[in-house]
Amino acid sequence: MTTQTYTVDSAKEASKLAASNANLDIKSGACLISVEVQGACGESIISDSKSLIDGQVLDSELLSGTKLRWFPKEKLRFVSKCSAQARRALNQRGISFAKGATLVPISQLDDLITELHEIDTEFKAEVQNLRSEYENTIEDHILNNKPVEAYIRKCSDEASKFASRFTFKVHPPMAIQPLFDGDENVIAEEASQTLFDEISSEAAEIYQKSFLMAEKATSKKLKPVYALRDKLINLSFLDSTVARVAERFSEVLNELPLTYPLMGGDYHKVCHFLTLVSDRAKVIAYGKGGDELSEVEEIEEVEEVPEVDNALIAESSINTEDNPFSDNPFGEAVEQSSSDPFNSEFIVQQENVAIDSFAFDGW
């Protein structure tokens, strides 16, 4: 049995050393970490079943049977929930690297390990609860599905065996050590390009979900914007292009007032900057020395409408009946409401979480 040598305390020490180093590179400033989440699906294929196709019952060697849910799905949702939490924790601090791994700044390792440890504790508590309530859950499931009782009893596992199929595992952080000379620069460049991909994608998502149809922003709504800035700052050691974009991000956010909600010109400044960052080509061009992220928002000029003398309109309407060729043949103009019944504020908040780097059994 192996002993885990990396702990929250050891992660804290590593984070302090990395944070105090002003000359970080990808080898001294980053590590690779991955999380594995597995859970039973609660389904089995009944091999001796028959299939109904086009109204006919078929029994053939070509048919592989049908799936039976012998364990209620709602009792297993904690697996996807904890997976999503872990994925967000990794995405917030690092970038995807290779297959299933995340490149994380060592300076953030302390916070990351702490958060993953909390998710692991929640996951294990859910598994323990599932195991203790296993028999009752099966019996309740049978009561609600009497016609297939025999098959549910046939497919169900023992409680301990079923619980053993649930895993939340944080693999030990690994150092980045290229085998061949020169590959370090290649890895750093690929990592910076991946970072720009993720930053632009996340900026576009934030803008679409929280800013597009609104006119003000609370501190909660701005939290993911500041998280993007922090992600850039923490990974700015990758190369000078990342550092320049991170500096521009800080400049924009530092100009904002500290009071909320954010409205008016300050609000639209954030909206405009998010649209600029959503364009990956502009982000890369700015990192290389351009001014693409410094573009001023184009404000559409509103044409002035001359004031109308109501007295002249009234006088003209009095003579309309005597003059059939009057410029106002319909008499006094009807005042139209300028209110827009569709000018309502909509704030759409939705979270789509990708968990493709986790392994699942039947999920």
Side-chain angles (χ1 to χ4, degrees):
M1 180 178 178
T2 58
T3 302
Q4 179 176 299
T5 56
Y6 74 97
T7 62
V8 173
D9 289 336
S10 60
K12 286 182 179 180
E13 290 301 319
S15 298
K16 288 180 182 178
L17 290 174
S20 62
N21 186 355
N23 298 312
L24 293 175
D25 54 24
I26 195 168
K27 290 193 296 184
S28 61
C31 64
L32 297 178
I33 190 167
S34 60
V35 178
E36 180 183 352
V37 183
Q38 292 182 341
C41 63
E43 291 183 340
S44 294
I45 295 178
I46 305 176
S47 58
D48 58 346
S49 65
K50 298 180 180 180
S51 300
L52 182 66
I53 301 178
D54 294 334
Q56 294 183 349
V57 177
L58 301 180
D59 186 9
S60 170
E61 293 179 356
L62 300 178
L63 299 175
S64 61
T66 186
K67 288 184 179 180
L68 171 72
R69 172 156 293 285
W70 57 268
F71 195 86
K73 188 175 183 179
E74 60 272 14
K75 297 290 186 179
L76 304 174
R77 287 175 179 160
F78 72 91
V79 179
S80 57
K81 175 188 173 183
C82 291
S83 297
Q85 290 175 340
R87 185 70 258 162
R88 282 196 297 270
L90 292 167
N91 285 342
Q92 183 179 353
R93 298 173 179 85
I95 56 176
S96 58
F97 188 90
K99 181 64 176 177
T102 301
L103 186 149
V104 177
I106 295 178
S107 61
Q108 295 295 298
L109 192 58
D110 169 20
D111 292 338
L112 177 59
I113 293 297
T114 299
E115 187 171 354
L116 291 177
H117 177 72
E118 292 173 353
I119 300 170
D120 181 30
T121 300
E122 178 185 349
F123 185 89
K124 286 181 170 58
E126 291 283 359
V127 173
Q128 181 59 38
N129 182 65
L130 180 146
R131 180 173 179 173
S132 62
E133 297 292 330
Y134 183 78
E135 299 298 336
N136 292 335
T137 301
I138 291 291
E139 294 303 321
D140 289 343
H141 191 53
I142 288 174
L143 287 176
N144 295 326
N145 300 276
K146 275 292 185 180
V148 290
E149 176 181 357
Y151 286 102
I152 292 176
R153 295 193 183 279
K154 177 181 178 181
C155 296
S156 59
D157 292 324
E158 293 181 358
S160 57
K161 182 178 180 181
F162 186 66
S164 67
R165 298 170 65 184
F166 293 83
T167 304
F168 188 100
K169 184 177 182 180
V170 180
H171 293 283
M174 295 186 295
I176 299 175
Q177 183 62 53
L179 180 62
F180 300 105
D181 294 337
D183 284 350
E184 180 182 346
N185 294 332
V186 175
I187 294 175
E189 182 178 356
E190 290 178 352
S192 65
Q193 295 303 309
T194 300
L195 174 60
F196 290 146
D197 287 342
E198 294 185 5
I199 291 294
S200 294
S201 177
E202 290 173 30
E205 186 175 352
I206 292 170
Y207 175 73
Q208 289 289 333
K209 289 180 178 179
S210 302
F211 287 83
L212 179 60
M213 300 297 292
E215 289 296 332
K216 60 182 179 180
T218 61
S219 58
K220 182 178 180 180
K221 188 183 293 187
L222 280 169
K223 187 176 180 180
V225 182
Y226 281 94
L228 286 185
R229 179 203 61 182
D230 294 343
K231 185 173 180 176
L232 282 163
I233 292 176
N234 292 329
L235 289 166
S236 60
F237 60 81
L238 288 174
D239 60 39
S240 59
T241 62
V242 177
R244 190 166 192 266
V245 174
E247 184 179 359
R248 178 57 185 155
F249 229 109
S250 295
E251 289 174 355
V252 173
L253 295 183
N254 289 341
E255 292 173 358
L256 301 178
L258 299 178
T259 55
Y260 296 97
L262 201 66
M263 296 186 293
D266 293 318
Y267 175 81
H268 290 290
K269 181 187 296 183
V270 176
C271 291
H272 179 60
F273 186 67
L274 284 174
T275 60
L276 294 177
V277 178
S278 299
D279 189 330
R280 179 181 179 275
K282 289 184 176 181
V283 173
I284 294 176
Y286 184 86
K288 293 180 178 179
D291 295 323
E292 285 76 5
L293 299 186
S294 302
E295 294 178 9
V296 179
E297 181 180 9
E298 295 182 3
I299 302 176
E300 187 177 338
E301 295 185 2
V302 180
E303 184 179 353
E304 288 190 14
V305 179
E307 293 186 7
V308 180
D309 191 333
N310 292 329
L312 290 177
I313 294 177
E315 183 179 353
S316 173
S317 64
I318 295 174
N319 299 325
T320 300
E321 203 170 321
D322 296 332
N323 181 9
F325 302 101
S326 168
D327 292 335
N328 185 11
F330 300 103
E332 186 174 358
V334 179
E335 184 178 353
Q336 295 183 351
S337 172
S338 61
S339 63
D340 180 7
F342 302 102
N343 187 19
S344 304
E345 177 177 303
F346 295 89
I347 301 176
V348 181
Q349 294 182 336
Q350 178 181 349
E351 183 174 25
N352 296 324
V353 181
I355 54 175
D356 56 330
S357 65
F358 296 102
F360 294 90
D361 179 15
W363 287 69

